[in-house]
Amino acid sequence: MISALNRLVDLVEENLAEDFDVKDVARALGTTEHHLRRMFSSLAGIPLSEYVRRRRMTVAAADVVRGEEDLLTIAVRHGYGSTEAFGRAFRAVHGAGPGDVRRDGGPLRTQPQLRFRLTVEGSKRMDTRIVDHPAFRLVGYAARVPLIHQGINPHIQQHITALPKEKHLHLKALSNTEPVGLLAVSDDLDPDRAEGSELTYLHGVAVSADTSVPEDLDTIEVPAGRWAVFRTAGTYPQALQEAWAATATEWFPSNPWRLRPGPEIVAVLEHADDYSTATCELWLPVEPA
């Protein structure tokens, strides 16, 4: 995976003036677009699409400052059809328009070329199991919410607290397969996992594929497949979010599995009365790498 990510960075540099198909790149590197984008954003700390935009504007800024060509020529070279579109992208990265930067020499917010390297980590043991699970359903109450990487997501919290107590009890009574109990389900995630991008959040339970489901509940059909299940315990939600990040930085690079498309599920097995601490299981859909 480290080699694949560095090859991806090289391809970005070779294609700064034009778009390229990440799906074709992933296939050539022996992985999938879904997994490649997730690993890139997790390890680099920014989505692939944002990295490409920053690198394009970093290289373009050098042309602007040199002042040897008009702005339209520079815009076209870097993949923009007009100085207006180029100016908007330039300002979004640098905080100033190309005309201002040409006159003043800045400000410039450059994005260095990334290089991924293997470091020795993994001193913290990850309690993991691989599960082959038949097709099942996730049923409950769904909402579209923004992705927040750290801390409690207030949009999710608001969605859950708005549900009457009897609906939580009704859901619990429906649960009849793993993952057990009330679940926090994230689905339809942006491939780059960009902060603020929307996802479908479902507060619900898992039921077998042949279970009759009330019409007032939202349903996610989950096909048969393999899952990596990570058990975490500690301060909530920090311990869970740290484990989620560690799957990308430590577990996937050192194990022969990769993510496949599908919902990502959190089961809270035990918790303090105020939810300050909890024991959780994180279910991620995987396939052999």
Side-chain angles (χ1 to χ4, degrees), residues 140-158:
Y141 300 95
R144 292 292 287 175
V145 300
L147 176 62
I148 294 177
H149 289 156
Q150 294 184 338
I152 294 173
N153 188 319
H155 307 278
I156 291 176
Q157 190 175 39
Q158 182 180 9

Side-chain angles (χ1 to χ4, degrees), residues 118-181:
L118 182 64
T119 59
V120 179
E121 295 182 345
S123 59
K124 186 175 181 180
R125 189 185 71 182
M126 300 190 73
D127 188 356
T128 314
R129 60 191 172 105
I130 303 297
V131 175
D132 283 308
H133 204 306
F136 65 102
R137 291 174 173 172
L138 294 164
V139 299
Y141 300 95
R144 292 292 287 175
V145 300
L147 176 62
I148 294 177
H149 289 156
Q150 294 184 338
I152 294 173
N153 188 319
H155 307 278
I156 291 176
Q157 190 175 39
Q158 182 180 9
H159 172 62
I160 295 172
T161 55
L163 297 172
K165 184 177 180 180
E166 57 268 22
K167 291 193 174 183
H168 298 275
L169 297 174
H170 178 53
L171 285 174
K172 273 189 173 182
L174 286 174
S175 175
N176 63 10
T177 188
E178 283 197 304
V180 297

Side-chain angles (χ1 to χ4, degrees), residues 55-242:
R55 280 298 300 154
R56 281 179 174 166
M57 291 301 101
T58 294
V59 175
D63 292 339
V64 169
V65 172
R66 274 195 294 267
E68 298 173 357
E69 299 169 312
D70 62 79
L71 293 180
L72 179 59
T73 299
I74 296 172
V76 171
R77 179 186 304 123
H78 293 284
Y80 293 87
S82 68
T83 54
E84 290 78 13
F86 175 70
R88 286 192 297 270
F90 193 95
R91 183 178 293 277
V93 171
H94 296 292
D100 298 329
V101 167
R102 171 162 285 184
R103 182 186 67 246
D104 302 328
L108 295 175
R109 300 169 183 164
T110 59
Q111 172 63 59
Q113 183 177 346
L114 287 177
R115 187 56 52 183
F116 294 90
R117 292 185 175 86
L118 182 64
T119 59
V120 179
E121 295 182 345
S123 59
K124 186 175 181 180
R125 189 185 71 182
M126 300 190 73
D127 188 356
T128 314
R129 60 191 172 105
I130 303 297
V131 175
D132 283 308
H133 204 306
F136 65 102
R137 291 174 173 172
L138 294 164
V139 299
Y141 300 95
R144 292 292 287 175
V145 300
L147 176 62
I148 294 177
H149 289 156
Q150 294 184 338
I152 294 173
N153 188 319
H155 307 278
I156 291 176
Q157 190 175 39
Q158 182 180 9
H159 172 62
I160 295 172
T161 55
L163 297 172
K165 184 177 180 180
E166 57 268 22
K167 291 193 174 183
H168 298 275
L169 297 174
H170 178 53
L171 285 174
K172 273 189 173 182
L174 286 174
S175 175
N176 63 10
T177 188
E178 283 197 304
V180 297
L182 288 174
L183 308 174
V185 180
S186 299
D187 198 22
D188 296 326
L189 286 143
D190 177 77
D192 285 334
R193 299 298 199 278
E195 179 103 12
S197 61
E198 283 201 333
L199 61 100
T200 296
Y201 176 82
L202 180 105
H203 177 71
V205 295
V207 300
S208 59
D210 58 355
T211 299
S212 178
V213 178
E215 292 184 358
D216 65 326
L217 296 182
D218 299 302
T219 301
I220 299 174
E221 299 287 347
V222 184
R226 281 179 173 163
W227 298 78
V229 183
F230 303 87
R231 191 180 182 94
T232 71
T235 305
Y236 184 83
Q238 286 86 352
L240 173 63
Q241 290 171 334
E242 288 170 5

